[in-house]
Amino acid sequence: MGGNFFDSDRLAESNAQPQRAGDTASTRFLGIMFECCSVYGRIYRDAAGTSYQGNCPKCAKKLTVGVGSGGTDQRFFRAQ
């Protein structure tokens, strides 16, 4: 999507939240407001647990958000 929209060093799994039964890497997601098309979508964590990846549901622009140390428990973001 060009440019950096998230500080990947600030995105990480929160240690404060216990893992729920059935919660796998594929079901963890970030909610994204894709401003390119004014639509909401989700991007899901990869199997390795190193990033969240997905596309705008309308125009298919790709978005990758890395997981890093010292992250945030925020799960909803905006992407341009």
Coordinates of all heavy atoms in Angstrom, one line a residue:
M1 N 0.8 -1.2 0.0 CA 0.0 0.0 0.0 C 0.9 1.2 0.0 O 0.4 2.3 0.1 CB -0.9 0.0 1.2 CG -2.0 -1.1 1.0 SD -3.3 -1.0 2.3 CE -3.8 0.6 2.2
G2 N 2.1 1.1 -0.1 CA 3.0 2.2 -0.1 C 3.1 2.9 1.2 O 2.2 3.1 1.9
G3 N 4.3 3.2 1.6 CA 4.5 3.9 2.9 C 4.2 3.0 4.1 O 3.7 2.0 4.0
N4 N 4.6 3.5 5.2 CA 4.4 2.8 6.5 C 3.2 3.4 7.2 O 3.2 4.6 7.4 CB 5.6 2.8 7.4 CG 6.8 2.0 6.8 OD1 6.5 1.0 6.1 ND2 8.0 2.5 6.9
F5 N 2.3 2.6 7.6 CA 1.1 3.1 8.3 C 1.0 2.7 9.7 O 0.3 3.2 10.5 CB -0.2 2.6 7.6 CG -0.3 3.1 6.1 CD1 0.0 2.2 5.1 CD2 -0.5 4.4 5.9 CE1 0.0 2.7 3.8 CE2 -0.5 4.9 4.6 CZ -0.3 4.0 3.5
F6 N 1.8 1.7 10.1 CA 1.9 1.2 11.5 C 3.3 1.1 11.9 O 4.2 0.8 11.1 CB 1.2 -0.2 11.6 CG -0.2 -0.2 11.1 CD1 -0.5 -0.8 9.9 CD2 -1.2 0.4 11.8 CE1 -1.8 -0.8 9.4 CE2 -2.5 0.4 11.3 CZ -2.8 -0.2 10.1
D7 N 3.5 1.3 13.2 CA 4.8 1.1 13.8 C 4.9 -0.4 14.1 O 4.4 -0.8 15.2 CB 5.0 2.0 15.0 CG 6.3 1.8 15.6 OD1 7.1 0.9 15.2 OD2 6.6 2.6 16.6
S8 N 5.5 -1.2 13.3 CA 5.5 -2.6 13.5 C 6.2 -3.0 14.8 O 5.9 -4.1 15.4 CB 6.2 -3.4 12.4 OG 7.5 -3.0 12.2
D9 N 7.1 -2.2 15.4 CA 7.7 -2.5 16.6 C 6.7 -2.4 17.8 O 6.9 -2.9 18.8 CB 8.9 -1.5 16.9 CG 10.1 -1.8 16.0 OD1 10.2 -3.0 15.5 OD2 10.9 -0.9 15.8
R10 N 5.6 -1.6 17.6 CA 4.6 -1.5 18.6 C 3.5 -2.5 18.6 O 2.7 -2.6 19.4 CB 4.0 -0.1 18.5 CG 5.0 1.0 18.9 CD 4.4 2.4 18.8 NE 3.1 2.3 19.5 CZ 2.9 2.9 20.7 NH1 3.8 3.6 21.2 NH2 1.7 2.8 21.3
L11 N 3.5 -3.3 17.5 CA 2.5 -4.3 17.4 C 3.0 -5.6 17.8 O 3.9 -6.2 17.3 CB 2.0 -4.4 15.9 CG 1.1 -3.3 15.4 CD1 0.8 -3.5 14.0 CD2 -0.1 -3.2 16.2
A12 N 2.4 -6.2 18.8 CA 2.8 -7.5 19.3 C 1.6 -8.1 20.1 O 0.7 -7.4 20.5 CB 4.0 -7.4 20.2
E13 N 1.7 -9.3 20.3 CA 0.6 -10.0 21.1 C 0.8 -9.5 22.5 O 1.8 -9.5 23.1 CB 0.9 -11.5 21.0 CG -0.1 -12.3 21.8 CD 0.2 -13.8 21.6 OE1 1.0 -14.2 20.8 OE2 -0.5 -14.5 22.4
S14 N -0.4 -9.1 23.1 CA -0.4 -8.7 24.5 C -0.2 -9.8 25.4 O -1.0 -10.8 25.4 CB -1.7 -7.9 24.7 OG -1.7 -7.6 26.1
N15 N 0.8 -9.7 26.3 CA 1.0 -10.8 27.3 C -0.1 -10.7 28.4 O -0.2 -11.7 29.1 CB 2.4 -10.7 27.9 CG 3.4 -11.0 26.9 OD1 3.2 -11.8 26.0 ND2 4.6 -10.4 27.1
A16 N -0.8 -9.6 28.5 CA -1.8 -9.5 29.5 C -3.1 -10.2 29.2 O -3.9 -10.5 30.1 CB -2.2 -8.0 29.7
Q17 N -3.3 -10.6 28.0 CA -4.5 -11.3 27.6 C -4.3 -12.8 27.5 O -3.4 -13.2 26.7 CB -5.1 -10.8 26.3 CG -5.5 -9.4 26.4 CD -6.0 -8.9 25.1 OE1 -6.0 -9.6 24.1 NE2 -6.6 -7.7 25.1
P18 N -5.0 -13.7 28.3 CA -4.8 -15.1 28.2 C -5.3 -15.6 26.8 O -6.2 -15.1 26.2 CB -5.6 -15.7 29.3 CG -6.6 -14.6 29.6 CD -6.0 -13.3 29.2
Q19 N -4.7 -16.7 26.3 CA -5.1 -17.3 25.1 C -6.4 -18.1 25.4 O -6.5 -18.8 26.3 CB -4.0 -18.2 24.6 CG -4.3 -18.7 23.2 CD -3.2 -19.4 22.6 OE1 -2.1 -19.4 23.1 NE2 -3.4 -20.0 21.4
R20 N -7.4 -17.9 24.5 CA -8.6 -18.6 24.7 C -8.6 -19.9 23.9 O -7.8 -20.1 23.0 CB -9.8 -17.7 24.0 CG -10.0 -16.4 24.8 CD -11.0 -15.6 24.1 NE -10.5 -15.3 22.8 CZ -10.5 -14.1 22.3 NH1 -10.9 -13.1 23.0 NH2 -10.0 -13.8 21.1
A21 N -9.4 -20.8 24.4 CA -9.5 -22.1 23.7 C -9.9 -22.0 22.3 O -10.8 -21.2 22.0 CB -10.5 -23.0 24.5
G22 N -9.2 -22.6 21.4 CA -9.5 -22.5 20.0 C -9.0 -21.3 19.3 O -9.1 -21.1 18.1
D23 N -8.2 -20.4 20.0 CA -7.6 -19.2 19.5 C -6.3 -19.6 18.8 O -5.4 -20.0 19.5 CB -7.4 -18.2 20.6 CG -7.1 -16.8 20.1 OD1 -7.3 -16.6 18.9 OD2 -6.6 -16.0 20.9
T24 N -6.3 -19.6 17.5 CA -5.0 -20.0 16.8 C -4.5 -18.8 16.0 O -5.2 -17.7 15.9 CB -5.3 -21.1 15.8 OG1 -6.2 -20.6 14.8 CG2 -5.9 -22.3 16.5
A25 N -3.3 -18.9 15.5 CA -2.7 -17.8 14.8 C -3.6 -17.4 13.6 O -3.7 -16.2 13.2 CB -1.4 -18.2 14.2
S26 N -4.3 -18.3 13.0 CA -5.2 -18.0 11.8 C -6.5 -17.3 12.2 O -7.1 -16.6 11.4 CB -5.5 -19.3 11.0 OG -6.3 -20.1 11.8
T27 N -6.9 -17.3 13.5 CA -8.1 -16.6 13.9 C -7.8 -15.3 14.5 O -8.7 -14.5 14.7 CB -8.9 -17.5 14.9 OG1 -8.2 -17.7 16.0 CG2 -9.4 -18.8 14.2
R28 N -6.6 -15.0 14.8 CA -6.2 -13.7 15.3 C -6.2 -12.7 14.2 O -5.7 -12.9 13.1 CB -4.9 -13.7 16.0 CG -5.0 -14.6 17.3 CD -3.7 -14.6 18.0 NE -3.8 -15.6 19.1 CZ -2.8 -15.8 19.9 NH1 -1.6 -15.2 19.7 NH2 -3.0 -16.7 20.8
F29 N -6.8 -11.5 14.4 CA -6.9 -10.5 13.4 C -6.8 -9.1 13.9 O -6.9 -8.8 15.1 CB -8.2 -10.7 12.6 CG -9.4 -10.3 13.5 CD1 -9.9 -9.0 13.5 CD2 -10.1 -11.2 14.3 CE1 -11.0 -8.6 14.3 CE2 -11.2 -10.9 15.1 CZ -11.6 -9.6 15.1
L30 N -6.5 -8.2 12.9 CA -6.6 -6.8 13.2 C -7.7 -6.2 12.3 O -7.9 -6.6 11.2 CB -5.3 -6.1 12.8 CG -4.0 -6.4 13.5 CD1 -2.8 -5.7 12.9 CD2 -4.2 -6.2 15.0
G31 N -8.5 -5.4 12.9 CA -9.6 -4.7 12.1 C -9.0 -3.5 11.5 O -8.4 -2.7 12.1
I32 N -9.2 -3.3 10.2 CA -8.6 -2.2 9.4 C -9.7 -1.5 8.7 O -10.5 -2.1 8.0 CB -7.6 -2.8 8.4 CG1 -6.5 -3.7 9.0 CG2 -7.0 -1.6 7.6 CD1 -5.6 -3.0 9.9
M33 N -9.7 -0.2 8.8 CA -10.5 0.7 8.0 C -9.6 1.1 6.8 O -8.7 1.8 6.9 CB -11.0 1.9 8.7 CG -11.8 2.9 7.9 SD -13.3 2.0 7.4 CE -14.1 3.3 6.4
F34 N -9.9 0.5 5.6 CA -9.1 0.8 4.4 C -9.6 2.1 3.8 O -10.7 2.1 3.2 CB -9.2 -0.4 3.4 CG -8.5 -1.6 3.8 CD1 -9.1 -2.6 4.6 CD2 -7.2 -1.8 3.5 CE1 -8.5 -3.8 5.0 CE2 -6.5 -3.0 3.9 CZ -7.1 -3.9 4.6
E35 N -8.9 3.1 4.0 CA -9.3 4.4 3.6 C -9.3 4.6 2.0 O -10.0 5.4 1.5 CB -8.5 5.5 4.2 CG -8.8 5.6 5.7 CD -8.1 6.7 6.4 OE1 -7.2 7.4 5.8 OE2 -8.4 7.0 7.6
C36 N -8.5 3.7 1.4 CA -8.5 3.7 -0.1 C -9.8 3.5 -0.7 O -10.2 4.1 -1.7 CB -7.5 2.7 -0.6 SG -7.8 1.0 0.0
C37 N -10.7 2.7 -0.1 CA -12.0 2.4 -0.6 C -13.1 2.7 0.4 O -14.3 2.3 0.2 CB -12.1 1.0 -1.1 SG -11.0 0.7 -2.5
S38 N -12.8 3.2 1.6 CA -13.7 3.5 2.7 C -14.5 2.2 3.1 O -15.7 2.2 3.2 CB -14.7 4.6 2.2 OG -14.0 5.8 2.0
V39 N -13.8 1.1 3.2 CA -14.4 -0.1 3.7 C -13.6 -0.7 4.8 O -12.4 -0.5 5.0 CB -14.5 -1.2 2.5 CG1 -15.4 -0.7 1.4 CG2 -13.1 -1.5 2.0
Y40 N -14.3 -1.5 5.7 CA -13.7 -2.2 6.8 C -13.3 -3.6 6.4 O -14.1 -4.2 5.6 CB -14.7 -2.2 8.0 CG -14.2 -3.1 9.1 CD1 -13.3 -2.7 10.1 CD2 -14.7 -4.4 9.2 CE1 -12.9 -3.5 11.1 CE2 -14.3 -5.3 10.2 CZ -13.4 -4.8 11.1 OH -13.0 -5.6 12.1
G41 N -12.2 -4.1 6.9 CA -11.8 -5.4 6.6 C -11.0 -5.9 7.8 O -10.6 -5.2 8.7
R42 N -10.6 -7.2 7.7 CA -9.8 -7.8 8.7 C -8.5 -8.3 8.0 O -8.6 -8.8 6.9 CB -10.5 -9.0 9.4 CG -11.6 -8.6 10.3 CD -12.2 -9.8 10.9 NE -13.2 -9.5 11.9 CZ -13.9 -10.4 12.6 NH1 -13.6 -11.6 12.5 NH2 -14.8 -10.0 13.5
I43 N -7.4 -8.3 8.7 CA -6.2 -9.0 8.2 C -5.8 -9.9 9.3 O -6.0 -9.7 10.5 CB -5.1 -8.0 7.9 CG1 -4.6 -7.1 9.1 CG2 -5.5 -7.1 6.7 CD1 -3.4 -6.3 8.8
Y44 N -5.4 -11.1 8.9 CA -5.1 -12.2 9.8 C -3.7 -12.5 10.0 O -2.8 -12.2 9.1 CB -5.9 -13.5 9.3 CG -7.3 -13.3 9.4 CD1 -8.0 -12.8 8.3 CD2 -8.1 -13.6 10.5 CE1 -9.4 -12.6 8.4 CE2 -9.4 -13.5 10.6 CZ -10.1 -12.9 9.5 OH -11.5 -12.7 9.6
R45 N -3.3 -13.0 11.2 CA -2.0 -13.3 11.5 C -1.5 -14.6 10.8 O -2.3 -15.5 10.6 CB -1.9 -13.6 13.0 CG -0.5 -13.6 13.6 CD -0.6 -13.2 15.0 NE 0.2 -14.1 15.8 CZ 0.3 -14.0 17.1 NH1 -0.3 -13.1 17.8 NH2 1.1 -14.9 17.7
D46 N -0.2 -14.5 10.3 CA 0.3 -15.7 9.6 C 0.6 -16.8 10.5 O 0.6 -16.7 11.7 CB 1.5 -15.2 8.8 CG 2.7 -14.8 9.6 OD1 2.7 -14.9 10.8 OD2 3.7 -14.4 9.0
A47 N 0.8 -18.0 9.9 CA 1.1 -19.2 10.7 C 2.3 -19.1 11.6 O 2.3 -19.7 12.7 CB 1.2 -20.4 9.8
A48 N 3.3 -18.3 11.2 CA 4.5 -18.2 12.0 C 4.3 -17.2 13.1 O 5.2 -17.1 14.0 CB 5.7 -17.7 11.1
G49 N 3.3 -16.4 13.1 CA 3.0 -15.4 14.1 C 3.9 -14.2 14.1 O 4.0 -13.4 15.0
T50 N 4.5 -13.9 12.9 CA 5.4 -12.8 12.8 C 4.7 -11.6 12.1 O 5.3 -10.5 12.2 CB 6.6 -13.2 11.9 OG1 6.1 -13.6 10.6 CG2 7.4 -14.3 12.6
S51 N 3.6 -11.7 11.5 CA 2.9 -10.6 10.9 C 1.4 -10.8 10.7 O 1.0 -12.0 10.8 CB 3.6 -10.2 9.6 OG 3.3 -11.2 8.6
Y52 N 0.7 -9.7 10.5 CA -0.7 -9.8 10.0 C -0.7 -9.4 8.6 O -0.1 -8.5 8.2 CB -1.5 -8.8 10.8 CG -1.7 -9.2 12.3 CD1 -0.8 -8.9 13.2 CD2 -2.9 -9.9 12.7 CE1 -0.9 -9.3 14.6 CE2 -3.0 -10.3 14.0 CZ -2.1 -9.9 15.0 OH -2.2 -10.3 16.3
Q53 N -1.4 -10.2 7.7 CA -1.4 -10.0 6.3 C -2.9 -10.0 5.8 O -3.7 -10.8 6.2 CB -0.6 -11.0 5.6 CG 0.9 -11.0 6.1 CD 1.7 -12.1 5.4 OE1 1.2 -12.9 4.6 NE2 3.0 -12.1 5.8
G54 N -3.1 -9.2 4.8 CA -4.4 -9.2 4.1 C -4.5 -8.2 3.0 O -3.5 -7.5 2.7
N55 N -5.7 -8.1 2.5 CA -6.0 -7.2 1.4 C -7.2 -6.3 1.6 O -8.1 -6.8 2.3 CB -6.2 -7.9 0.1 CG -5.0 -8.8 -0.3 OD1 -3.9 -8.5 0.1 ND2 -5.2 -9.8 -1.1
C56 N -7.3 -5.2 1.0 CA -8.5 -4.4 1.0 C -9.6 -5.2 0.3 O -9.3 -5.8 -0.7 CB -8.3 -3.1 0.2 SG -9.8 -2.2 -0.1
P57 N -10.7 -5.4 1.0 CA -11.8 -6.2 0.4 C -12.3 -5.7 -0.9 O -13.0 -6.4 -1.7 CB -12.8 -6.3 1.5 CG -12.5 -5.3 2.5 CD -11.1 -4.8 2.3
K58 N -12.1 -4.4 -1.2 CA -12.7 -3.9 -2.5 C -11.7 -3.8 -3.6 O -12.0 -4.2 -4.7 CB -13.2 -2.5 -2.2 CG -14.2 -2.0 -3.2 CD -14.9 -0.8 -2.7 CE -16.0 -0.3 -3.7 NZ -16.7 0.8 -3.2
C59 N -10.5 -3.2 -3.3 CA -9.5 -3.1 -4.4 C -8.3 -4.0 -4.4 O -7.5 -4.0 -5.2 CB -9.0 -1.6 -4.5 SG -7.9 -1.2 -3.1
A60 N -8.2 -4.8 -3.3 CA -7.2 -5.9 -3.1 C -5.8 -5.3 -2.8 O -4.9 -6.1 -3.0 CB -7.2 -6.8 -4.3
K61 N -5.7 -4.1 -2.5 CA -4.3 -3.6 -2.1 C -3.9 -4.4 -0.9 O -4.6 -4.6 0.1 CB -4.3 -2.1 -1.8 CG -4.5 -1.2 -3.0 CD -4.4 0.2 -2.6 CE -4.5 1.1 -3.8 NZ -4.5 2.5 -3.5
K62 N -2.6 -4.8 -0.9 CA -2.0 -5.7 0.1 C -1.6 -4.8 1.3 O -1.0 -3.7 1.2 CB -0.8 -6.4 -0.5 CG -0.3 -7.4 0.5 CD 0.9 -8.2 -0.1 CE 1.4 -9.2 0.9 NZ 2.4 -10.1 0.3
L63 N -1.8 -5.4 2.5 CA -1.3 -4.8 3.7 C -0.6 -5.8 4.6 O -1.2 -6.9 4.8 CB -2.5 -4.2 4.5 CG -2.1 -3.5 5.8 CD1 -1.2 -2.3 5.7 CD2 -3.4 -3.1 6.6
T64 N 0.6 -5.5 5.1 CA 1.3 -6.4 6.0 C 1.7 -5.6 7.2 O 2.3 -4.5 7.0 CB 2.5 -7.0 5.3 OG1 2.1 -7.8 4.2 CG2 3.3 -7.9 6.3
V65 N 1.4 -6.1 8.4 CA 1.8 -5.4 9.6 C 2.6 -6.4 10.4 O 2.1 -7.4 10.8 CB 0.5 -5.0 10.4 CG1 0.9 -4.3 11.7 CG2 -0.4 -4.1 9.6
G66 N 3.8 -6.0 10.7 CA 4.7 -6.9 11.5 C 4.4 -6.9 12.9 O 3.8 -6.0 13.5
V67 N 4.7 -8.0 13.6 CA 4.6 -8.1 15.0 C 6.0 -7.9 15.6 O 6.9 -8.5 15.2 CB 4.1 -9.5 15.4 CG1 4.0 -9.7 16.9 CG2 2.7 -9.7 14.8
G68 N 6.0 -7.1 16.6 CA 7.3 -6.8 17.3 C 7.2 -6.7 18.8 O 6.1 -6.9 19.3
S69 N 8.3 -6.5 19.4 CA 8.4 -6.5 20.9 C 7.8 -5.2 21.4 O 7.8 -4.2 20.7 CB 9.8 -6.7 21.4 OG 10.6 -5.6 20.9
G70 N 7.3 -5.2 22.6 CA 6.7 -3.9 23.2 C 5.5 -3.5 22.5 O 5.3 -2.3 22.4
G71 N 4.7 -4.3 22.0 CA 3.5 -4.0 21.2 C 2.4 -3.3 21.9 O 2.5 -2.8 23.0
T72 N 1.2 -3.4 21.2 CA 0.0 -2.7 21.7 C -1.1 -3.7 21.8 O -1.1 -4.7 21.0 CB -0.4 -1.5 20.8 OG1 -1.6 -0.9 21.3 CG2 -0.6 -2.0 19.4
D73 N -2.1 -3.5 22.6 CA -3.3 -4.4 22.6 C -4.4 -3.8 21.8 O -5.4 -4.4 21.7 CB -3.7 -4.7 24.1 CG -4.1 -3.4 24.8 OD1 -4.0 -2.3 24.2 OD2 -4.5 -3.5 26.0
Q74 N -4.1 -2.7 21.1 CA -5.1 -2.1 20.2 C -5.3 -3.1 19.0 O -4.3 -3.6 18.5 CB -4.6 -0.8 19.7 CG -5.6 -0.1 18.8 CD -5.1 1.3 18.4 OE1 -4.3 1.9 19.0 NE2 -5.7 1.9 17.4
R75 N -6.5 -3.3 18.5 CA -6.8 -4.2 17.4 C -7.5 -3.6 16.2 O -7.8 -4.3 15.3 CB -7.6 -5.4 18.0 CG -6.9 -6.3 18.9 CD -5.8 -7.1 18.2 NE -4.9 -7.7 19.2 CZ -3.6 -7.6 19.1 NH1 -3.0 -6.9 18.2 NH2 -2.8 -8.2 20.0
F76 N -7.7 -2.3 16.3 CA -8.4 -1.6 15.2 C -7.6 -0.4 14.7 O -7.2 0.4 15.5 CB -9.8 -1.2 15.6 CG -10.7 -2.4 15.9 CD1 -10.8 -2.8 17.2 CD2 -11.3 -3.1 14.9 CE1 -11.6 -3.9 17.5 CE2 -12.1 -4.2 15.2 CZ -12.2 -4.6 16.5
F77 N -7.4 -0.3 13.4 CA -6.5 0.7 12.8 C -7.1 1.2 11.5 O -8.0 0.6 11.0 CB -5.1 0.1 12.5 CG -4.4 -0.5 13.7 CD1 -4.6 -1.8 14.1 CD2 -3.6 0.3 14.5 CE1 -4.0 -2.3 15.2 CE2 -3.0 -0.2 15.6 CZ -3.1 -1.5 16.0
R78 N -6.4 2.3 11.0 CA -6.8 2.8 9.7 C -5.6 2.7 8.8 O -4.4 2.9 9.2 CB -7.2 4.3 9.8 CG -8.4 4.5 10.7 CD -8.7 6.0 10.9 NE -9.5 6.5 9.8 CZ -10.8 6.4 9.6 NH1 -11.4 5.8 10.5 NH2 -11.4 6.9 8.6
A79 N -5.8 2.4 7.5 CA -4.7 2.3 6.5 C -5.1 3.2 5.3 O -6.3 3.2 4.9 CB -4.5 0.9 6.1
Q80 N -4.2 3.9 4.8 CA -4.5 4.8 3.7 C -4.2 4.1 2.4 O -3.3 3.4 2.1 CB -3.7 6.1 3.8 CG -4.1 6.9 5.0 CD -3.3 8.2 5.0 OE1 -2.5 8.5 4.2 NE2 -3.6 9.0 6.1

